Amino acid sequence: MNRHVTVGLDDSTESHAAAAWAAREAASRGVALRVVHVEEWPITPEIPLTLTEALVERYETLLREAAERARRDHPGLDVTTEMVHGRAGAELTRAADDAEVMALGSRGLGGFVGFLVGSVSLAVVAASTRPVVLVRAERPGAEAGATESGAAAGGAGAAGAAERASAGAEDAAAVGSPPDVVLGLDIAHPSEPLLDFAFGTAARRNLPLRVVHSWSPPASYGYAAILDPEIGTGLGRRAAEGLTELLRPWRSRFPEVRVVEKVVVGPAARELVHASRGAELLVVGRRGRRPALPHLGHVAHAVIHHSSAPVAVVPLA
């Protein structure tokens, strides 16, 4: 089978945004684009033939128009379409496993910035052996909900209010900053597929790569470490040095990528949601699946729901 990027398509605005993202990704990789629609309604004698024909025609038109847009936006792009019948989660996971990348649309959380991720998308993200990218449609006033989404990811109470106030200042600066690719990286558990995906995406799109490593002081430091960051200076310095050393060979492998290293103190999910503001893509890892036991960690789950940028979830195994 030829190399390709796949997008799962329905008639939602978010799905069309995912199709546009997938077409651009396929063009940047120099591979084909496969557009797939999964139809779950059963074909049985009980369903009138006219209804069956109408549904088939509707989704064939949807696929054809998506393919035409992709070819128009990216001349020379090889685009194929396919309509399959079955359970959406299983069929899209199968399609994702055959692709270099799978893109899916996700609906925003009302007035909040984030993703309303249904069971199908979560199933594909948690089970696929390949990277899956969740894309939402651009919406006016997205920045207005950013602080609230940070609250959902970061907690409640006085500490949450202080964190949101600090995040607001960072968000204001991020809005005017050039877009970049953000990679959430745990230096204690580095992953070659994760690093390769993030560096490769930044290189293909000619974007800076911002690598964020979040750490927290040991519980034995108590509240003093939160009130006085100087207490953990030594730990922070070692974390920064560890990040620099880990990225050294990747900088050499991708010399064209401008890398910005950022070591922050706090919960990883909260810090990555903050870092996603103004980013073109947020890349996070997911523990490899066990047989018949898909798994999505709490960090990936949080950023999927609250990131203001598309989120790429890359299996670490």
Side-chain angles (χ1 to χ4, degrees), residues 6 34 36-40 84-98 102 104 119-129 132 289 294:
T6 296
R34 181 187 179 206
V36 176
H37 172 74
V38 179
E39 189 48 73
E40 291 194 304
V84 298
H85 299 276
R87 303 303 298 175
E91 295 298 334
L92 289 175
T93 298
R94 188 176 297 112
D97 287 347
D98 289 337
M102 162 66 88
L104 296 171
S119 59
V120 171
S121 295
L122 284 177
V124 177
V125 170
S128 175
T129 60
V132 177
R289 68 179 182 183

Short mmCIF file of all heavy atoms in Angstrom, two decimals, residues 6 34 36-40 84-98 102 104 119-129 132 289 294:
data_model
loop_
_atom_site.label_atom_id
_atom_site.label_comp_id
_atom_site.label_asym_id
_atom_site.label_seq_id
_atom_site.Cartn_x
_atom_site.Cartn_y
_atom_site.Cartn_z
N THR A 6 -4.59 9.87 6.31
CA THR A 6 -6.02 9.59 6.24
C THR A 6 -6.80 10.59 7.07
O THR A 6 -6.34 11.03 8.13
CB THR A 6 -6.31 8.16 6.75
OG1 THR A 6 -5.68 7.22 5.89
CG2 THR A 6 -7.80 7.87 6.78
N ARG A 34 -6.01 10.00 1.82
CA ARG A 34 -7.15 9.08 1.78
C ARG A 34 -8.27 9.65 2.62
O ARG A 34 -8.09 9.95 3.80
CB ARG A 34 -6.73 7.71 2.32
CG ARG A 34 -7.84 6.66 2.29
CD ARG A 34 -7.38 5.39 2.99
NE ARG A 34 -8.42 4.37 3.00
CZ ARG A 34 -8.51 3.42 3.92
NH1 ARG A 34 -7.61 3.35 4.91
NH2 ARG A 34 -9.47 2.52 3.85
N VAL A 36 -11.93 9.04 4.19
CA VAL A 36 -12.78 7.90 4.53
C VAL A 36 -14.03 8.37 5.27
O VAL A 36 -13.94 9.19 6.19
CB VAL A 36 -12.02 6.89 5.43
CG1 VAL A 36 -12.94 5.75 5.85
CG2 VAL A 36 -10.80 6.36 4.71
N HIS A 37 -15.16 7.87 4.84
CA HIS A 37 -16.40 8.07 5.59
C HIS A 37 -16.92 6.71 6.04
O HIS A 37 -17.02 5.79 5.23
CB HIS A 37 -17.47 8.77 4.75
CG HIS A 37 -18.80 8.81 5.44
ND1 HIS A 37 -19.06 9.66 6.49
CD2 HIS A 37 -19.94 8.08 5.25
CE1 HIS A 37 -20.30 9.47 6.92
NE2 HIS A 37 -20.86 8.52 6.19
N VAL A 38 -17.24 6.60 7.33
CA VAL A 38 -17.78 5.35 7.87
C VAL A 38 -19.28 5.52 8.09
O VAL A 38 -19.71 6.42 8.81
CB VAL A 38 -17.10 4.96 9.20
CG1 VAL A 38 -17.71 3.66 9.73
CG2 VAL A 38 -15.60 4.80 9.01
N GLU A 39 -20.04 4.68 7.46
CA GLU A 39 -21.49 4.71 7.61
C GLU A 39 -21.92 3.55 8.50
O GLU A 39 -21.66 2.39 8.18
CB GLU A 39 -22.16 4.61 6.24
CG GLU A 39 -23.65 4.85 6.30
CD GLU A 39 -23.99 6.10 7.10
OE1 GLU A 39 -23.75 7.21 6.60
OE2 GLU A 39 -24.49 5.94 8.24
N GLU A 40 -22.56 3.90 9.62
CA GLU A 40 -22.95 2.87 10.59
C GLU A 40 -24.38 2.37 10.40
O GLU A 40 -24.76 1.38 11.02
CB GLU A 40 -22.79 3.40 12.01
CG GLU A 40 -21.35 3.60 12.43
CD GLU A 40 -21.21 3.81 13.92
OE1 GLU A 40 -21.87 4.73 14.44
OE2 GLU A 40 -20.47 3.06 14.55
N VAL A 84 -17.04 3.19 3.85
CA VAL A 84 -17.07 1.85 4.41
C VAL A 84 -18.25 1.73 5.38
O VAL A 84 -18.73 2.74 5.91
CB VAL A 84 -15.76 1.50 5.13
CG1 VAL A 84 -14.60 1.52 4.16
CG2 VAL A 84 -15.49 2.46 6.28
N HIS A 85 -18.70 0.52 5.61
CA HIS A 85 -19.80 0.27 6.53
C HIS A 85 -19.28 -0.54 7.71
O HIS A 85 -18.47 -1.46 7.56
CB HIS A 85 -20.92 -0.49 5.83
CG HIS A 85 -21.50 0.25 4.67
ND1 HIS A 85 -22.49 1.19 4.81
CD2 HIS A 85 -21.20 0.20 3.35
CE1 HIS A 85 -22.79 1.69 3.63
NE2 HIS A 85 -22.03 1.10 2.72
N GLY A 86 -19.73 -0.18 8.91
CA GLY A 86 -19.28 -0.89 10.10
C GLY A 86 -19.32 0.03 11.30
O GLY A 86 -19.88 1.13 11.25
N ARG A 87 -18.70 -0.38 12.39
CA ARG A 87 -18.60 0.44 13.59
C ARG A 87 -17.53 1.49 13.38
O ARG A 87 -16.39 1.17 13.02
CB ARG A 87 -18.26 -0.43 14.80
CG ARG A 87 -19.24 -1.56 15.07
CD ARG A 87 -20.66 -1.06 15.26
NE ARG A 87 -20.79 -0.17 16.41
CZ ARG A 87 -21.90 0.47 16.73
NH1 ARG A 87 -22.97 0.35 15.96
NH2 ARG A 87 -21.94 1.24 17.80
N ALA A 88 -17.89 2.75 13.59
CA ALA A 88 -16.99 3.85 13.26
C ALA A 88 -15.65 3.75 14.00
O ALA A 88 -14.59 3.94 13.40
CB ALA A 88 -17.66 5.18 13.57
N GLY A 89 -15.70 3.44 15.30
CA GLY A 89 -14.45 3.36 16.07
C GLY A 89 -13.51 2.32 15.51
O GLY A 89 -12.31 2.58 15.33
N ALA A 90 -14.04 1.14 15.23
CA ALA A 90 -13.19 0.05 14.74
C ALA A 90 -12.67 0.33 13.34
O ALA A 90 -11.49 0.11 13.04
CB ALA A 90 -13.98 -1.26 14.74
N GLU A 91 -13.54 0.86 12.46
CA GLU A 91 -13.13 1.11 11.08
C GLU A 91 -12.11 2.24 11.00
O GLU A 91 -11.14 2.17 10.23
CB GLU A 91 -14.34 1.43 10.21
CG GLU A 91 -15.32 0.27 10.05
CD GLU A 91 -14.69 -0.93 9.37
OE1 GLU A 91 -13.73 -0.74 8.60
OE2 GLU A 91 -15.15 -2.07 9.61
N LEU A 92 -12.31 3.29 11.78
CA LEU A 92 -11.37 4.41 11.75
C LEU A 92 -10.04 4.04 12.40
O LEU A 92 -8.98 4.51 11.98
CB LEU A 92 -11.99 5.64 12.43
CG LEU A 92 -13.13 6.30 11.65
CD1 LEU A 92 -13.75 7.42 12.48
CD2 LEU A 92 -12.64 6.84 10.31
N THR A 93 -10.08 3.21 13.42
CA THR A 93 -8.83 2.74 14.03
C THR A 93 -8.05 1.90 13.03
O THR A 93 -6.83 2.03 12.91
CB THR A 93 -9.11 1.91 15.29
OG1 THR A 93 -9.77 2.73 16.26
CG2 THR A 93 -7.82 1.38 15.90
N ARG A 94 -8.75 1.05 12.30
CA ARG A 94 -8.09 0.24 11.27
C ARG A 94 -7.48 1.14 10.20
O ARG A 94 -6.35 0.92 9.74
CB ARG A 94 -9.11 -0.72 10.66
CG ARG A 94 -8.50 -1.75 9.70
CD ARG A 94 -9.54 -2.73 9.20
NE ARG A 94 -10.08 -3.51 10.32
CZ ARG A 94 -11.31 -3.42 10.78
NH1 ARG A 94 -12.17 -2.58 10.22
NH2 ARG A 94 -11.71 -4.17 11.79
N ALA A 95 -8.22 2.17 9.80
CA ALA A 95 -7.70 3.10 8.79
C ALA A 95 -6.50 3.88 9.34
O ALA A 95 -5.52 4.12 8.62
CB ALA A 95 -8.80 4.07 8.36
N ALA A 96 -6.56 4.25 10.62
CA ALA A 96 -5.44 4.99 11.23
C ALA A 96 -4.19 4.13 11.29
O ALA A 96 -3.07 4.62 11.05
CB ALA A 96 -5.83 5.44 12.64
N ASP A 97 -4.34 2.85 11.60
CA ASP A 97 -3.18 1.96 11.71
C ASP A 97 -2.48 1.76 10.37
O ASP A 97 -1.31 1.39 10.33
CB ASP A 97 -3.61 0.61 12.28
CG ASP A 97 -3.94 0.67 13.76
OD1 ASP A 97 -3.60 1.69 14.40
OD2 ASP A 97 -4.54 -0.28 14.28
N ASP A 98 -3.19 1.99 9.27
CA ASP A 98 -2.60 1.83 7.94
C ASP A 98 -1.98 3.12 7.42
O ASP A 98 -1.35 3.12 6.36
CB ASP A 98 -3.67 1.37 6.94
CG ASP A 98 -4.08 -0.08 7.17
OD1 ASP A 98 -3.29 -0.83 7.77
OD2 ASP A 98 -5.20 -0.45 6.76
N MET A 102 -3.50 10.00 11.08
CA MET A 102 -4.95 10.08 10.93
C MET A 102 -5.42 11.41 11.49
O MET A 102 -4.98 11.83 12.57
CB MET A 102 -5.64 8.93 11.68
CG MET A 102 -7.13 9.13 11.95
SD MET A 102 -8.15 9.15 10.47
CE MET A 102 -8.49 7.39 10.27
N LEU A 104 -8.89 13.69 12.59
CA LEU A 104 -10.31 13.64 12.91
C LEU A 104 -10.76 15.01 13.39
O LEU A 104 -9.98 15.74 14.02
CB LEU A 104 -10.59 12.61 14.01
CG LEU A 104 -10.29 11.14 13.71
CD1 LEU A 104 -10.43 10.31 14.98
CD2 LEU A 104 -11.22 10.61 12.63
N SER A 119 -17.06 9.39 21.83
CA SER A 119 -16.51 8.07 22.09
C SER A 119 -15.72 7.53 20.90
O SER A 119 -14.75 6.81 21.08
CB SER A 119 -17.65 7.11 22.45
OG SER A 119 -18.59 7.04 21.40
N VAL A 120 -16.14 7.89 19.68
CA VAL A 120 -15.43 7.40 18.50
C VAL A 120 -14.02 7.96 18.45
O VAL A 120 -13.04 7.23 18.29
CB VAL A 120 -16.21 7.75 17.21
CG1 VAL A 120 -15.37 7.42 15.98
CG2 VAL A 120 -17.52 6.98 17.16
N SER A 121 -13.91 9.28 18.58
CA SER A 121 -12.58 9.90 18.52
C SER A 121 -11.67 9.40 19.64
O SER A 121 -10.50 9.10 19.41
CB SER A 121 -12.70 11.43 18.61
OG SER A 121 -13.38 11.94 17.49
N LEU A 122 -12.22 9.31 20.85
CA LEU A 122 -11.42 8.81 21.97
C LEU A 122 -10.98 7.38 21.74
O LEU A 122 -9.85 7.00 22.07
CB LEU A 122 -12.21 8.91 23.28
CG LEU A 122 -12.33 10.30 23.89
CD1 LEU A 122 -13.20 10.25 25.14
CD2 LEU A 122 -10.97 10.89 24.22
N ALA A 123 -11.86 6.57 21.15
CA ALA A 123 -11.51 5.19 20.89
C ALA A 123 -10.37 5.10 19.89
O ALA A 123 -9.44 4.30 20.06
CB ALA A 123 -12.74 4.42 20.36
N VAL A 124 -10.41 5.91 18.86
CA VAL A 124 -9.35 5.89 17.84
C VAL A 124 -8.04 6.39 18.43
O VAL A 124 -6.98 5.78 18.24
CB VAL A 124 -9.75 6.73 16.62
CG1 VAL A 124 -8.61 6.76 15.59
CG2 VAL A 124 -11.01 6.19 15.97
N VAL A 125 -8.09 7.50 19.17
CA VAL A 125 -6.88 8.05 19.78
C VAL A 125 -6.24 7.05 20.74
O VAL A 125 -5.02 6.87 20.77
CB VAL A 125 -7.20 9.36 20.52
CG1 VAL A 125 -6.01 9.81 21.36
CG2 VAL A 125 -7.57 10.45 19.53
N ALA A 126 -7.07 6.38 21.54
CA ALA A 126 -6.56 5.47 22.56
C ALA A 126 -6.06 4.15 22.00
O ALA A 126 -5.23 3.50 22.62
CB ALA A 126 -7.64 5.22 23.61
N ALA A 127 -6.57 3.75 20.83
CA ALA A 127 -6.25 2.41 20.34
C ALA A 127 -5.29 2.38 19.15
O ALA A 127 -4.65 1.35 18.92
CB ALA A 127 -7.54 1.69 19.95
N SER A 128 -5.18 3.46 18.42
CA SER A 128 -4.37 3.43 17.20
C SER A 128 -2.89 3.27 17.51
O SER A 128 -2.37 3.79 18.51
CB SER A 128 -4.57 4.71 16.39
OG SER A 128 -3.71 4.73 15.26
N THR A 129 -2.19 2.56 16.63
CA THR A 129 -0.74 2.40 16.76
C THR A 129 0.01 3.52 16.04
O THR A 129 1.23 3.54 16.06
CB THR A 129 -0.30 1.05 16.18
OG1 THR A 129 -0.66 1.00 14.79
CG2 THR A 129 -0.96 -0.10 16.92
N VAL A 132 -2.54 10.23 15.82
CA VAL A 132 -3.87 10.72 15.48
C VAL A 132 -3.93 12.20 15.86
O VAL A 132 -3.55 12.58 16.96
CB VAL A 132 -4.97 9.94 16.22
CG1 VAL A 132 -6.36 10.53 15.91
CG2 VAL A 132 -4.92 8.46 15.86
N ARG A 289 -0.59 0.83 23.57
CA ARG A 289 -1.74 0.06 24.00
C ARG A 289 -1.34 -1.38 24.34
O ARG A 289 -0.43 -1.94 23.74
CB ARG A 289 -2.82 0.05 22.92
CG ARG A 289 -2.43 -0.71 21.67
CD ARG A 289 -3.57 -0.69 20.66
NE ARG A 289 -3.22 -1.47 19.48
CZ ARG A 289 -3.99 -1.57 18.42
NH1 ARG A 289 -5.14 -0.94 18.38
NH2 ARG A 289 -3.61 -2.27 17.39
N PRO A 294 -7.12 -0.48 25.27
CA PRO A 294 -6.70 0.85 24.88
C PRO A 294 -6.58 1.75 26.10
O PRO A 294 -7.32 1.60 27.08
CB PRO A 294 -7.82 1.32 23.95
CG PRO A 294 -8.49 0.07 23.49
CD PRO A 294 -8.38 -0.88 24.64
#
